[in-house]
Amino acid sequence: MGNADLERSISHYRELAPRYDHFTRRIDKVRERAIAALGLSAGESVLDAGCGTGWCLPRLARHVGAQGRVIGFDPSPEMLAVARGRVPDASRPDVHLIEGAAETVVLPQPVDAILFSYTHDLIRSRKALANVLRQARPGARVAATSTKLYGRWLFPANWYLLLTHRAYVTNFDGFEAPWSLLAEHLDEFRVETGPFTQHYVATGRVRG
Ligand SMILES: C[S@@+](CC[C@H](N)C(=O)[O-])C[C@H]1O[C@@H](n2cnc3c(N)ncnc32)[C@H](O)[C@@H]1O
C-alpha cells in the first residue's frame, strides 16, 4: 500500500480535472455536512486543504461572509484552474488560492478552521498534517470527510471501493480508519460513521 505519491496524484488529476465535478456529484451531501460541522461565523478565515476544483470554496465563502477569508491550496494546476474559474470575483469575500502541496505550503495567515474534503493522501501523511495544522490558530476547528472501507465482512463492496478509488487515492494506507493520524493532533475529536457506510465526517480542535 505504501506512501502517497504526489507526482502520480498530480498526473491522475491532470486527466480527471475536466470531469471531476461530474464524477464526484454523489458526495455533495457529505461535503455539505463537513462544511456545516465547521460551525463557521462571519469574519473568520477558513482553509480548504487540497481544494481541488473548488466545489467547497463558494460554500465556505458564504459562511464567512464579506469580512472573512477563504484560503485554498492544491498541487494540481489543472484542478486549481477549475477552482479559479469557480470564484471569478475573488475579492468578495476574499478567496486566496495557492498552487502547492500540504507538506510544504505556506499560508498567508493563521486560520480559524480547516476543511479536509476527500483528501485521503493528505491526511495519511504525517508531514502534511504537521505542516498544515501548525499554521492554524490554537483551538481552530477541523472537519475531515472522505471515503473509508465498509465493515470487513462487506469485502465485495470494499473491493469495489478500492477499484473505483484508484484514480483519486495513491495511498490506501489506513483506509479502514483514515482519520487516525488526524485524531493524534486534535482535542474534542469525534467521528460520525459506521460499518454500513463508506463515508465519515471527523471533527475536532487543533491542540493549543
Ligand atoms: C479527491 S480530490 C478532493 C478535492 C476537493 N477537496 C473536493 O472535495 O472535491 C483530492 C485532491 O487532493 C489533492 N492532493 C493530493 N495530494 C495532495 C497533497 N499532498 N497536498 C495537497 N493536496 C493534495 C489532489 O490534487 C486533489 O485535487
Side-chain angles (χ1 to χ4, degrees):
M1 297 240 164
N3 293 325
D5 180 337
L6 187 57
E7 290 311 311
R8 194 148 54 92
S9 174
I10 289 171
S11 159
H12 283 179
Y13 283 102
R14 183 170 301 129
E15 303 297 321
L16 277 171
R19 289 157 297 148
Y20 177 84
D21 288 337
H22 178 70
F23 287 162
T24 57
R25 63 198 182 281
R26 289 189 188 85
I27 60 171
D28 291 354
K29 281 204 168 64
V30 70
R31 287 192 288 205
E32 291 278 18
R33 264 175 58 205
I35 291 169
L38 285 173
L40 293 167
S41 305
E44 287 192 312
S45 56
V46 57
L47 173 67
D48 187 357
C51 63
T53 58
W55 188 91
C56 300
L57 294 171
R59 288 155 179 90
L60 294 169
R62 271 202 292 280
H63 283 280
V64 299
Q67 305 307 317
R69 191 169 210 205
V70 182
I71 302 166
F73 69 82
D74 200 281
S76 161
E78 292 79 10
M79 295 290 272
L80 214 52
V82 180
R84 288 208 167 93
R86 200 164 225 146
V87 281
D89 183 358
S91 58
R92 244 190 356 248
D94 185 13
V95 179
H96 184 90
L97 296 180
I98 303 166
E99 186 179 316
E103 288 80 355
T104 51
V105 72
V106 178
L107 304 182
Q109 66 180 81
V111 290
D112 300 305
I114 304 178
L115 177 68
F116 296 102
S117 172
Y118 286 80
T119 54
H120 184 83
D121 280 357
L122 197 169
I123 66 164
R124 297 308 302 174
S125 159
R126 287 184 185 279
K127 187 175 173 196
L129 278 183
N131 181 48
V132 172
L133 295 175
R134 74 174 173 76
Q135 299 184 67
R137 291 187 205 286
R141 284 108 54 208
V142 174
T145 188
S146 190
T147 307
K148 60 139 190 83
L149 293 179
Y150 293 97
R152 273 168 195 253
W153 63 94
L154 294 169
F155 54 89
N158 285 333
W159 287 338
Y160 181 74
L161 260 191
L162 293 169
L163 197 68
T164 52
H165 281 71
R166 280 181 312 175
Y168 302 93
V169 172
T170 68
N171 171 24
F172 284 97
D173 168 57
F175 214 47
E176 60 293 327
W179 52 81
S180 64
L181 300 182
L182 198 53
E184 295 174 12
H185 290 269
L186 303 182
D187 290 330
E188 300 173 30
F189 185 78
R190 289 190 51 190
V191 189
E192 284 176 25
T193 189
F196 298 106
T197 176
Q198 68 181 81
H199 304 295
Y200 70 89
V201 176
T203 54
R205 284 180 180 272
V206 175
R207 223 157 262 158

